Amino acid sequence: MEMINTIGRRKAAVARIYLTQGTGVVTINGKTLTEYFPQSHIQHKVLDPFSTVEIDSKIYDIKVNVDGGGYKGQAEAIRMAIARALVKLNEDFRKALKDQKFLMRDARVVERKKYGKPKARKSFQFSKR
């Protein structure tokens, strides 16, 4: 099997992954998965595409370069990239991953602050007199 590379995005996070045949090592920005994401629920979120298509994640090595956003956005960007790589690997996985919405780009981002207001939509307290 050759190297498969894909991109996943969420909020301001962009994840580039390289999937190869291997022993199940997940490296994110030079760190292991447990070092980079100490919370177990975030680790499960990253590896959800493998459990959805019911294949063992131990047969693939994943090298990830992720940039921007917070840890939740980065985890979901990595999840999207892994799902796209699995679809490149086997087109039959597409329906199961699409049903879980792992292939859908979640484009919700923070709304920009407007002038004359303290935040995007919040207004200062109104005073009649």
Side-chain angles (χ1 to χ4, degrees):
M1 178 188 123
E2 73 285 348
M3 183 182 289
I4 295 174
N5 66 323
T6 54
I7 293 178
R9 293 184 183 93
R10 171 73 169 101
K11 292 189 176 183
V14 179
R16 287 174 287 281
I17 73 151
Y18 302 93
L19 187 99
T20 55
Q21 202 86 34
T23 58
V25 178
V26 179
T27 310
I28 304 171
N29 291 349
K31 297 180 182 176
T32 64
L33 177 65
T34 53
E35 284 177 38
Y36 198 81
F37 294 122
Q39 299 99 335
S40 62
H41 67 282
I42 299 291
Q43 294 170 19
H44 291 301
K45 185 176 283 214
V46 168
L47 298 175
D48 267 349
F50 288 111
S51 57
T52 302
V53 296
E54 297 171 354
I55 61 170
D56 191 19
S57 63
K58 301 280 188 259
I59 58 174
Y60 297 110
D61 283 346
I62 302 170
K63 183 179 179 297
V64 182
N65 294 325
V66 67
D67 185 43
Y71 64 90
K72 186 175 187 292
Q74 287 185 352
E76 292 185 10
I78 294 168
R79 181 179 71 180
M80 180 187 195
I82 290 173
R84 285 180 169 176
L86 290 174
V87 169
K88 276 189 180 179
L89 196 66
N90 186 351
E91 195 64 36
D92 298 336
F93 295 154
R94 185 173 186 81
K95 179 164 177 21
L97 293 169
K98 199 166 181 170
D99 289 344
Q100 292 288 322
K101 295 189 168 67
F102 291 159
L103 297 173
M104 189 173 79
R105 163 77 159 104
D106 193 353
R108 295 176 294 173
V109 293
V110 177
E111 191 174 344
R112 79 170 197 87
K113 182 195 172 301
K114 278 72 169 192
Y115 58 88
K117 293 193 176 264
K119 291 167 74 175
R121 296 189 181 209
K122 184 179 181 180
S123 295
F124 293 109
Q125 184 172 349
F126 178 72
S127 173
K128 200 167 195 176
R129 282 174 198 89

